């Protein structure tokens, strides 16, 4: 019964179209990559009356996810799901970020040291946890206060309740680093109104908390200053009923109003430009729109596209488009293939070049390979989506015991 309620709640939140508001989603620059000696320090736990809270605890690295954190989250959530004394689960981050995504610099270093297997283990563990989150039997509350990037969104958005604040910043910046929106991004981005998901995936533009409410990535909005009260109230709940949790969250919710300059006020032009089948056609449409309207938004979007990895743009567009017709497990399986191709450098080293340029050397001058859209061949792109070799197993998810879903 709980499973059905969770699936229905999530289906309602992500399937609706349009930008109406409701009261009642990876990689990034991290300033410091300090390591912790004890894995339990990376994800701490708070016990509540009839709930548990998982706290991402790498504030100096904006809570960037590494293999140890993904593995601990997976173990904790599996044990909590089996515990009859726990009614619901909460996740939040410490410091000024919820989660800035995967620890891209660590992956870069592992790859350059020849330790590709450790990188593969990370993606396998992370994606398996995302699937657990998306099929979780108990209500889940994610408090997305602060920076929420890439895989950081992926570990939270499949859950039932997503609380955002006036400090929330949501972004998928992967194409700027030669990667692709992953950890379930091709599932949730492809279900946004119109072609907003393509726009966010390809340009890496940001959304704030109000915008996340408007496009149904989030379910509840509250001011950062009121979070302590919200958490205190949730901590006292002794329930496994989603309706009770919903009522508590709504009680402390705040009214939200969309800024007229928001990208969600431009959905008509977004659809006009980003509904095309190829990146070249999208760029042509933006250039025509810029010439006709003199809108600064078009110029900014064009600049972002031209800065991104040409190969990543094409791969990411295809991934989002395929995600429109696939269940969460199918999206994760495809993203796993793409990620393994990216870190194995079978076609290109763009991921390593992008991380070098933006996070390591910080010269912001990546040398993409191929350097232009016209030099990206169909065979190159197809390689990212092709089944893995017999020596490299596909991502195996427990779909027999944990029912996948489409909406």
């Amino acid at each position: 019964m709980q499973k059905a309620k969770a699936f229905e709640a999530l289906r309602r939140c992500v399937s609706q179209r349009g930008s109406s508001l409701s009261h009642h989603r990876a990689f990034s620059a991290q300033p410091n990559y300090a390591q912790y000696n004890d894995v339990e320090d990376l994800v701490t736990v708070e016990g509540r009356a009839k709930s548990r809270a998982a706290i991402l605890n790498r504030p100096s690295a904006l809570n960037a996810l590494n293999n140890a954190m993904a593995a601990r989250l997976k173990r904790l959530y599996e044990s909590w799901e089996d515990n009859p004394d726990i009614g619901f689960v909460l996740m939040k981050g410490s410091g000024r970020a919820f989660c800035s995504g995967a620890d891209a610099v660590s992956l870069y270093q592992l790859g350059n040291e020849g330790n590709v297997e450790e990188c593969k283990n990370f993606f396998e563990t992370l994606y398996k946890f995302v699937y657990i989150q998306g099929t979780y039997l108990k209500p889940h509350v994610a408090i997305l206060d602060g920076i929420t990037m890439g895989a950081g969104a992926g570990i939270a958005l499949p859950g039932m309740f997503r609380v955002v604040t006036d400090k929330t910043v949501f972004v998928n910046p992967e194409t700027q680093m030669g990667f692709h929106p992953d950890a379930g991004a091709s599932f949730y981005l492809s279900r946004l109104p119109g072609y907003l998901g393509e726009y966010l995936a390809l340009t890496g533009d940001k959304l704030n908390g109000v915008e996340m409410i408007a496009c149904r990535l989030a379910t509840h909005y509250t001011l950062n200053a009121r979070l302590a009260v919200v958490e205190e109230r949730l901590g006292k709940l002794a329930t496994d009923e989603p309706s009770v949790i919903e009522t508590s969250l709504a009680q402390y919710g705040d009214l939200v109003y969309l800024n007229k300059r928001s990208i969600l006020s431009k959905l008509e032009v977004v659809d006009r430009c980003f509904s095309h089948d190829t990146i070249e056609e999208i760029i042509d449409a933006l250039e025509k729109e810029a010439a006709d309207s003199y809108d600064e938004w078009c110029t900014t979007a064009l600049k972002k596209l031209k800065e991104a990895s040409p190969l990543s743009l094409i791969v990411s567009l295809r991934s989002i488009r395929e995600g429109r017709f696939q269940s969460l497990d199918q999206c994760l399986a495809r993203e796993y293939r793409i990620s393994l191709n990216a870190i194995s450098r079978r076609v290109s080293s763009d991921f390593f070049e992008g991380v070098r340029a933006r996070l390591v050397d910080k010269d912001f001058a990546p040398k993409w390979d191929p350097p232009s859209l016209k030099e990206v061949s169909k065979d190159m792109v197809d390689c990212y989506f092709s089944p893995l070799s017999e020596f490299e197993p596909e991502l195996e998810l427990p779909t027999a015991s944990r029912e996948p879903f489409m909406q």
Side-chain angles (χ1 to χ4, degrees):
M1 187 64 182
Q2 293 297 339
K3 188 174 184 179
K5 291 178 180 178
F7 288 175
E8 178 59 21
L10 184 59
R11 185 198 66 76
R12 289 198 307 269
C13 289
V14 299
S15 64
Q16 296 183 42
R17 292 293 184 263
S19 59
S20 61
L21 299 183
S22 171
H23 298 294
H24 299 280
R25 164 214 256 221
F27 296 95
S28 63
Q30 296 104 14
N32 187 311
Y33 295 88
Q35 298 296 313
Y36 289 68
N37 292 324
D38 192 338
V39 65
E40 293 185 1
D41 290 338
L42 299 173
V43 180
T44 58
V45 174
E46 287 183 2
R48 314 284 178 90
K50 196 175 180 179
S51 64
R52 295 292 183 274
I55 305 167
L56 307 179
N57 191 38
R58 290 183 75 198
S60 61
L62 302 181
N63 299 322
L65 294 167
N66 59 24
N67 208 344
M69 295 172 73
R72 177 160 166 77
L73 283 169
K74 183 174 178 289
R75 289 193 302 270
L76 287 173
Y77 273 63
E78 287 172 338
S79 67
W80 291 341
E81 189 175 51
D82 293 335
N83 188 337
D85 294 327
I86 296 175
F88 68 97
V89 176
L90 180 144
M91 184 191 294
K92 64 178 183 176
S94 57
R96 65 188 184 93
F98 168 69
C99 177
S100 61
D103 189 338
V105 171
S106 290
L107 292 169
Y108 168 87
Q109 292 169 341
L110 286 168
N112 284 337
E113 293 166 0
N115 196 350
V116 177
E117 286 303 314
E118 185 69 16
C119 297
K120 293 178 182 178
N121 290 340
F122 168 73
F123 289 113
E124 180 182 7
T125 305
L126 173 64
Y127 295 178
K128 285 183 176 181
F129 175 68
V130 171
Y131 187 70
I132 288 173
Q133 180 72 284
T135 57
Y136 210 56
L137 297 178
K138 294 180 178 180
H140 186 268
V141 180
I143 299 180
L144 310 180
D145 184 43
I147 298 165
T148 304
M149 292 187 176
I155 64 172
L157 295 185
M160 186 179 294
F161 301 111
R162 289 92 61 199
V163 181
V164 292
T165 75
D166 51 316
K167 302 290 186 182
T168 301
V169 179
F170 167 85
V171 60
N172 281 99
E174 291 88 351
T175 60
Q176 301 289 315
M177 268 179 284
F179 203 63
H180 68 109
D182 71 322
S186 66
F187 181 82
Y188 62 76
L189 288 177
S190 65
R191 283 154 175 79
L192 294 182
Y195 293 89
L196 178 62
E198 281 88 338
Y199 167 75
L200 295 173
L202 299 176
T203 66
D205 197 9
K206 302 180 181 70
L207 295 181
N208 60 32
V210 173
E211 291 168 325
M212 290 182 72
I213 287 285
C215 68
R216 312 293 181 179
L217 281 173
T219 59
H220 296 79
Y221 181 95
T222 190
L223 296 175
N224 168 272
R226 301 181 67 179
L227 270 182
V229 178
V230 174
E231 287 190 49
E232 182 180 6
R233 171 63 178 159
L234 289 173
K236 292 178 180 178
L237 293 181
T239 184
D240 59 2
E241 281 294 328
S243 61
V244 176
I245 300 169
E246 155 70 29
T247 299
S248 292
L249 290 172
Q251 180 181 356
Y252 294 99
D254 290 281
L255 292 172
V256 295
Y257 302 94
L258 195 64
N259 188 301
K260 64 180 180 180
R261 299 187 64 182
S262 166
I263 186 60
L264 296 182
S265 299
K266 300 178 182 291
L267 287 182
E268 186 176 338
V269 67
V270 167
D271 288 353
R272 197 156 57 234
C273 294
F274 285 83
S275 60
H276 294 285
D277 293 333
T278 68
I279 300 297
E280 291 89 343
E281 290 173 326
I282 289 173
I283 290 175
D284 288 345
L286 280 169
E287 289 176 341
K288 182 180 185 303
E289 196 73 37
D292 292 345
S293 66
Y294 302 100
D295 193 330
E296 183 182 353
W297 168 82
C298 297
T299 305
T300 302
L302 280 166
K303 180 175 181 290
K304 289 289 188 182
L305 291 176
K306 291 175 180 179
E307 289 175 347
S309 157
L311 180 57
S312 289
L313 287 174
I314 296 173
V315 168
S316 298
L317 178 60
R318 177 170 164 181
S319 182
I320 299 295
R321 291 284 162 83
E322 290 189 6
R324 286 176 175 262
F325 307 100
Q326 294 179 330
S327 56
L328 177 62
D329 62 299
Q330 292 171 323
C331 287
L332 289 169
R334 172 176 27 76
E335 291 170 2
Y336 184 69
R337 290 177 179 176
I338 299 172
S339 296
L340 261 56
N341 274 283
I343 61 171
S344 300
R345 313 186 205 221
R346 290 174 183 147
V347 176
S348 171
S349 296
D350 273 5
F351 168 63
F352 294 91
E353 175 62 10
V355 175
R356 179 207 64 76
R358 293 189 172 273
L359 304 182
V360 180
D361 296 340
K362 299 183 181 179
D363 57 25
F364 298 95
K367 295 178 175 58
W368 303 124
D369 178 29
S372 66
L373 291 168
K374 65 182 179 182
E375 294 173 86
V376 179
S377 71
K378 182 178 182 299
D379 286 343
M380 288 178 179
V381 178
D382 287 344
C383 183
Y384 283 83
F385 294 83
S386 299
L388 300 174
S389 72
E390 59 180 311
F391 305 107
E392 213 162 66
E394 301 279 355
L395 180 68
E396 293 185 7
L397 297 170
T399 54
S401 59
R402 308 185 72 93
E403 180 185 350
F405 55 100
M406 283 294 296
Q407 297 296 332

